[in-house]
Amino acid sequence: MKIAVLSGKGGTGKTFVSVNLAFSAGNCMYIDCDVEEPNGHIFFKPQITDSHDITVDIPLIDSSKCTGCRLCVNFCKFNALAYIKGHVEVFDDICHSCGGCSLLCPEEAISERKKSIGKIQSGISGNVTVVTGILNPGEESGVPIIKELLNGKNDGDIFIDSPPGSSCTVMESIRDADYCILVAEPTIFGMHNLKMVLELVNIFKKPHGVVINKTQGEFPALKEFLSGNDIEVLMDIPYDNELGKINSMGLIAADEILEYRVLFSSLLKKVYKEAGHV
Amino acid sequence: MIAVLPVETNNMGACINISLGRTPFFLIYDTNTNHSLFIENTAAGSQGGAGVKAAQLMVDNGADVVIAPACGKNAADVLMASGIKIYKSSGCSIKDNITALIAGTLEELSDIHPGFHNHGGSGN
Ligand code: SF4
Ligand code: SF4
């Protein structure tokens, strides 16, 4: 069973929820798909057992074969190619590796070379397998890394720490999820961000529930909105000074404090039940 | 010398546009003959890489210099690889900038910004 944890923006406690859930479940896999800022490993401190580069194909132009017909330049809808002083120039960081230009070139002047865009690290932390995707700074899209992260992972319980927001990397991370947990802050902005993520999980028809984090004071509009739309509130995480400290030290709350162990065990049970886990 | 400027509308009274990639029009101005020509920027509607496509357009129109308020890194790469000089525009007026170009008082553009080609969403 695959359970994805999402949030409309960073810093809402998405990693906190997914790490503590995976820890509470045990004998499972935690996959960090927040490839631009993967933080889960800070808490799990896994012993790394494997690390490998993820590459994409970037066109390589053989100038001796190129006749300058510009078919490739005009074809590329991402404008990653330019024709300058008799040569085709490739702009790596805009290229989406669609492979179209090399198929199209009538002179077969375009082949492909591999470019590393990041890596995947796997490791073990207690009885949790921790898999982390890391996108190199400056790279545009983490989608190829997320695809590879989730590829062939079908056995047992898998907790996915999705990227924040509602972009194409988020879609990729929930594609095969059985259930989505949406982490939201009880503020106007938090509600706005939540609505964007809700739209996404609805498009993909994923069963989902909401965890409200940092319940400092009340924001009744959020709960009214959720109950009005028949959206399950799975858990409220109360505001707690101690928790901030635990997090900043890179410790797992459910491991350190009994109260959180209980909180996350019950969240886990609820999610399993909602998702029809047997 | 052929100068290219990103401009808001297709007349000499127009203001210089802030975006080299997304500007609606380019003015192509020949300082030797004082001929001017406005062309539509076909890159303006591109999903991504507008800077590269717009720069290609300027190269293809025989630009020697470009006068603009700012320039993205990829566009600058295309322009510089083609030996085109990029000058920083001063103020909004086309006429003032061309006069300053001829007088040699425009500064070369030094702040080249990285592209803004993300995939949407509100991630951070
Ligand atoms: S399509 Fe092939 S031959 Fe034509 S410009 Fe591109 S690389 Fe050169
Ligand atoms: S592989 Fe696709 S995106 Fe990349 S340069 Fe070729 S046509 Fe453009």
Side-chain angles (χ1 to χ4, degrees), chain A residues 52-73:
Chain A
H52 62 275
D53 275 10
I54 300 300
T55 60
V56 293
D57 290 334
I58 297 285
L60 180 68
I61 317 285
D62 182 346
S63 290
S64 67
K65 287 189 191 162
C66 172
T67 57
C69 72
R70 289 197 186 207
L71 277 175
C72 58
V73 176

Side-chain angles (χ1 to χ4, degrees), chain A residues 8 10 70 78-79 82-85 91 93-94 96 140-141 164-165 167-168 196, chain B residues 46 48-50 52-53 56 60 74 77-78 81-82 117 119-124:
Chain A
R70 289 197 186 207
F78 303 105
N79 300 320
Y83 192 74
I84 310 165
K85 292 203 157 170
F91 287 82
D93 57 338
I94 328 182
H96 281 53
E140 189 185 356
S141 171
S167 63
C168 43
M196 310 229 307
Chain B
S46 306
V52 172
K53 195 171 177 190
Q56 178 82 63
D60 295 346
N74 288 326
D77 283 350
V78 174
S82 313
H117 32 74
H119 279 240
S122 57
N124 63 7

Side-chain angles (χ1 to χ4, degrees), chain B residues 36-104:
Chain B
S36 60
L37 175 72
F38 290 90
I39 59 165
E40 221 175 294
N41 176 17
T42 48
S46 306
Q47 261 192 16
V52 172
K53 195 171 177 190
Q56 178 82 63
L57 204 66
M58 291 181 256
V59 172
D60 295 346
N61 278 285
D64 296 305
V65 304
V66 168
I67 306 173
C71 182
K73 188 183 170 304
N74 288 326
D77 283 350
V78 174
L79 296 175
M80 291 195 291
S82 313
I84 298 172
K85 273 212 167 82
I86 314 166
Y87 289 103
K88 187 169 176 56
S89 59
S90 111
C92 143
S93 150
I94 293 176
K95 224 175 128 223
D96 291 356
N97 276 284
I98 300 235
T99 311
L101 172 73
I102 294 166

Side-chain angles (χ1 to χ4, degrees), chain A residues 57-59 72 75-81 90-91 94-102 110 112:
Chain A
D57 290 334
I58 297 285
C72 58
F75 166 80
C76 178
K77 67 169 186 289
F78 303 105
N79 300 320
L81 301 172
V90 183
F91 287 82
I94 328 182
C95 172
H96 281 53
S97 301
C98 73
C101 54
S102 64
I110 307 182
E112 276 159 350

Side-chain angles (χ1 to χ4, degrees), chain A residues 143 146-147 150 167-176 204:
Chain A
V143 169
I146 294 173
K147 271 198 179 132
L150 298 172
S167 63
C168 43
T169 49
V170 183
M171 295 180 211
E172 197 59 47
S173 73
I174 65 166
R175 196 174 292 279
D176 295 323
F204 281 81

Side-chain angles (χ1 to χ4, degrees), chain A:
Chain A
M1 163 155 297
K2 288 189 179 122
I3 293 160
V5 183
L6 301 88
S7 72
K9 73 170 194 59
T12 52
K14 172 177 62 62
T15 295
F16 170 70
V17 170
S18 47
V19 164
N20 278 278
L21 261 187
F23 177 86
S24 302
N27 294 316
C28 65
M29 190 180 272
Y30 166 86
I31 303 182
D32 202 340
C33 288
D34 190 354
V35 295
E36 282 180 43
E37 231 173 309
N39 287 331
H41 65 97
I42 295 171
F43 298 92
F44 278 118
K45 304 173 185 67
Q47 217 179 338
I48 305 298
T49 52
D50 179 65
S51 176
H52 62 275
D53 275 10
I54 300 300
T55 60
V56 293
D57 290 334
I58 297 285
L60 180 68
I61 317 285
D62 182 346
S63 290
S64 67
K65 287 189 191 162
C66 172
T67 57
C69 72
R70 289 197 186 207
L71 277 175
C72 58
V73 176
N74 298 333
F75 166 80
C76 178
K77 67 169 186 289
F78 303 105
N79 300 320
L81 301 172
Y83 192 74
I84 310 165
K85 292 203 157 170
H87 294 283
V88 175
E89 289 287 331
V90 183
F91 287 82
D92 289 14
D93 57 338
I94 328 182
C95 172
H96 281 53
S97 301
C98 73
C101 54
S102 64
L103 281 176
L104 178 99
C105 172
E107 308 299 329
E108 293 182 4
I110 307 182
S111 57
E112 276 159 350
R113 68 182 167 86
K114 303 265 178 227
K115 183 183 86 159
S116 167
I117 58 161
K119 61 183 170 194
I120 290 181
Q121 275 184 347
S122 310
I124 300 285
S125 169
N127 59 5
V128 179
T129 303
V130 178
V131 188
T132 307
I134 305 160
L135 182 69
N136 290 340
E139 284 302 332
E140 189 185 356
S141 171
V143 169
I145 297 187
I146 294 173
K147 271 198 179 132
E148 188 58 33
L149 275 169
L150 298 172
N151 183 21
K153 310 259 169 50
N154 298 314
D155 301 330
D157 288 340
I158 296 171
F159 295 87
I160 298 167
D161 193 343
S162 290
S166 51
S167 63
C168 43
T169 49
V170 183
M171 295 180 211
E172 197 59 47
S173 73
I174 65 166
R175 196 174 292 279
D176 295 323
D178 299 292
Y179 190 82
C180 291
I181 299 173
L182 280 42
V183 184
E185 280 174 324
T187 61
I188 291 199
F189 296 115
M191 188 155 111
H192 169 78
N193 291 328
L194 175 68
K195 284 179 182 168
M196 310 229 307
V197 185
L198 274 170
E199 220 172 276
L200 189 73
V201 294
N202 283 327
I203 290 171
F204 281 81
K205 299 194 173 64
K206 299 289 180 191
H208 56 272
V210 171
V211 167
I212 302 176
N213 191 18
K214 292 180 187 164
T215 314
Q216 37 181 327
E218 287 298 315
F219 183 68
L222 178 60
K223 287 233 166 132
E224 276 163 31
F225 165 76
L226 292 173
S227 68
N229 287 278
D230 255 336
I231 299 163
E232 170 91 8
V233 177
L234 298 162
M235 178 171 89
D236 282 277
I237 306 171
Y239 179 73
D240 175 4
N241 247 332
E242 195 61 23
L243 193 58
K245 248 188 264 167
I246 298 262
N247 276 332
S248 66
M249 287 190 291
L251 299 171
I252 298 175
D255 192 18
E256 301 290 326
I257 306 175
L258 182 61
E259 193 190 330
Y260 286 102
R261 190 169 310 172
V262 173
L263 204 63
F264 278 101
S265 302
S266 73
L267 173 61
L268 192 64
K269 272 190 204 129
K270 256 193 205 170
V271 169
Y272 279 165
K273 192 170 150 245
E274 292 276 326
H277 189 278
V278 280

